[in-house]
């Protein structure tokens, strides 16, 4: 006889709530906070990746309204991720030092779901696959995201199908490499921004993409400030350069023409 479905069974709470295994000995009280912060972030990243991938498919199918619905959800997920830093920021340097040494070579830099989100948004780097050479699941996810057109690629293709003057070499480019700013695209977006009433849905999509990049930059900034208040300028776990590395990535952009058009208007 099949057991009745319950809340706990449906959500696999027996596995979920026993997935926190602090390594510090004696066990540091605050390590649980650190683990849950990162586990919940990975769950939100899983949902964000699911919605972004769906939005890519919707754009490829010319279903812009559904893509916009998914992107709106992504923005709410991002807000959850941003706000989570305020919880981790309650971890003082002294509290963190009580278990930091037990983390070994593990690092948030190794989050393959975060890298996959970046790939889907267009910041592709094949070298990231080597970071996960020993993890088949991670490599498969990243390879899939690397090989397919990014969200921005799909949006530009949709614009081309609607008659906007997207250059052929942009449409036919190697999607495994990052997109680079193209002044010809700035002119395309300038025409859209100059006449939003006649291009409302793509105009709205442009602003949704800017919102998503803005939120990601806020997430990066909150990450940076949380690291600075917890370990200062010390080297990060796993050998990363810590705050200095996080400060550099604030300059990375996904949709450069959507920012450049603001200067052109």
């Amino acid at each position: 006889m099949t057991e009745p479905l319950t809340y706990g069974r449906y959500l696999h709470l027996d596995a979920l709530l026993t997935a926190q295994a602090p390594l510090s000995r004696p066990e540091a009280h605050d390590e649980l906070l650190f683990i849950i912060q990162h586990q919940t972030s990975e769950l939100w990243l899983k949902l964000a990746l699911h919605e972004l991938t769906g939005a890519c498919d919707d754009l490829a199918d010319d279903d812009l309204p559904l893509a916009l619905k998914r992107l709106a959800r992504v923005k709410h997920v991002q807000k959850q991720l941003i706000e989570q830093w305020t919880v981790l920021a309650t971890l003082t340097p002294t509290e963190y030092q009580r278990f930091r040494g037990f983390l070994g070579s593990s690092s948030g830099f190794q989050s393959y779901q975060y890298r996959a989100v970046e790939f889907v948004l267009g910041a592709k780097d094949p070298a990231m696959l080597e970071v996960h050479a020993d993890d088949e699941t991670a490599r498969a996810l990243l390879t899939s995201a690397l090989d397919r057109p990014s969200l921005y690629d799909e949006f530009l293709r949709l614009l081309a199908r609607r008659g906007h003057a997207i250059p052929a070499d942009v449409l036919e480019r190697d999607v495994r490499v990052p997109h680079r700013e193209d002044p010809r695209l700035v002119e395309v977006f300038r025409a859209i921004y100059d006449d939003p009433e006649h291009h409302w849905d793509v105009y709205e999509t442009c602003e949704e993409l800017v919102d998503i990049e803005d939120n990601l930059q806020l997430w990066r900034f909150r990450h940076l400030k949380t690291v600075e208040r917890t370990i200062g300028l010390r080297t990060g776990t796993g050998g990363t350069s810590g705050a200095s590395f996080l400060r550099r990535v604030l300059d990375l952009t996904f949709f450069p023409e959507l920012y450049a058009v603001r200067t052109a208007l």
Side-chain angles (χ1 to χ4, degrees), residues 117-224:
V117 167
E118 286 195 327
F119 280 18
V120 173
L121 291 177
K124 298 187 177 184
D125 182 0
M128 284 295 104
L129 271 65
E130 298 307 313
V131 175
H132 304 284
D134 299 325
D135 188 332
E136 290 185 13
T137 300
R139 284 185 65 86
L141 182 67
L142 288 173
T143 299
S144 176
L146 182 68
D147 289 343
R148 67 175 294 164
S150 70
L151 182 69
Y152 199 39
D153 289 326
E154 294 290 11
F155 182 46
L156 294 176
R157 292 178 181 190
L158 179 142
L159 290 177
R161 291 192 297 273
R162 290 194 173 195
H164 295 274
I166 308 298
D169 59 305
V170 172
L171 298 172
E172 297 164 3
R173 74 181 195 85
D174 182 358
V175 298
R176 291 172 58 91
V177 300
H179 171 78
R180 303 300 181 193
E181 184 174 336
D182 189 325
R184 297 172 297 175
L185 293 179
V186 176
E187 291 307 307
V188 172
F189 288 119
R190 180 173 183 170
I192 292 170
Y193 274 79
D194 277 341
D195 191 9
E197 290 79 11
H198 288 91
H199 308 289
W200 184 260
D201 54 354
V202 294
Y203 172 75
E204 181 184 7
T205 307
C206 291
E207 289 299 290
E208 288 290 300
L209 294 179
V210 171
D211 285 345
I212 285 173
E213 174 155 340
D214 213 28
N215 283 341
L216 191 58
Q217 293 289 42
L218 286 172
W219 183 89
R220 287 169 169 169
F221 181 75
R222 289 297 301 143
H223 188 185
L224 166 64

Side-chain angles (χ1 to χ4, degrees), residues 3-52:
E3 291 184 287
L5 183 64
T6 64
Y7 176 80
R9 291 195 183 97
Y10 176 66
L11 296 177
H12 296 275
L13 290 182
D14 53 344
L16 184 65
L17 297 179
T18 56
Q20 298 75 44
L23 296 177
S24 54
R25 296 294 183 270
E27 184 176 321
H29 174 85
D30 302 289
E31 190 178 357
L32 184 63
L33 160 64
F34 190 82
I35 293 171
I36 290 177
Q37 161 84 19
H38 290 83
Q39 287 181 337
T40 53
S41 293
E42 289 296 329
L43 288 172
W44 285 124
L45 286 170
K46 183 174 183 176
L47 180 57
L49 188 58
H50 177 67
E51 298 298 340
L52 288 169

Side-chain angles (χ1 to χ4, degrees), residues 108-119:
F109 180 80
Q110 298 159 348
S111 171
Y112 62 84
Q113 288 198 124
Y114 174 74
R115 295 298 170 193
V117 167
E118 286 195 327
F119 280 18

Side-chain angles (χ1 to χ4, degrees), residues 96-108:
Y96 185 39
Q97 290 307 315
R98 288 174 181 153
F99 64 86
R100 188 187 186 211
F102 293 90
L103 301 180
S105 59
S106 64
S107 167

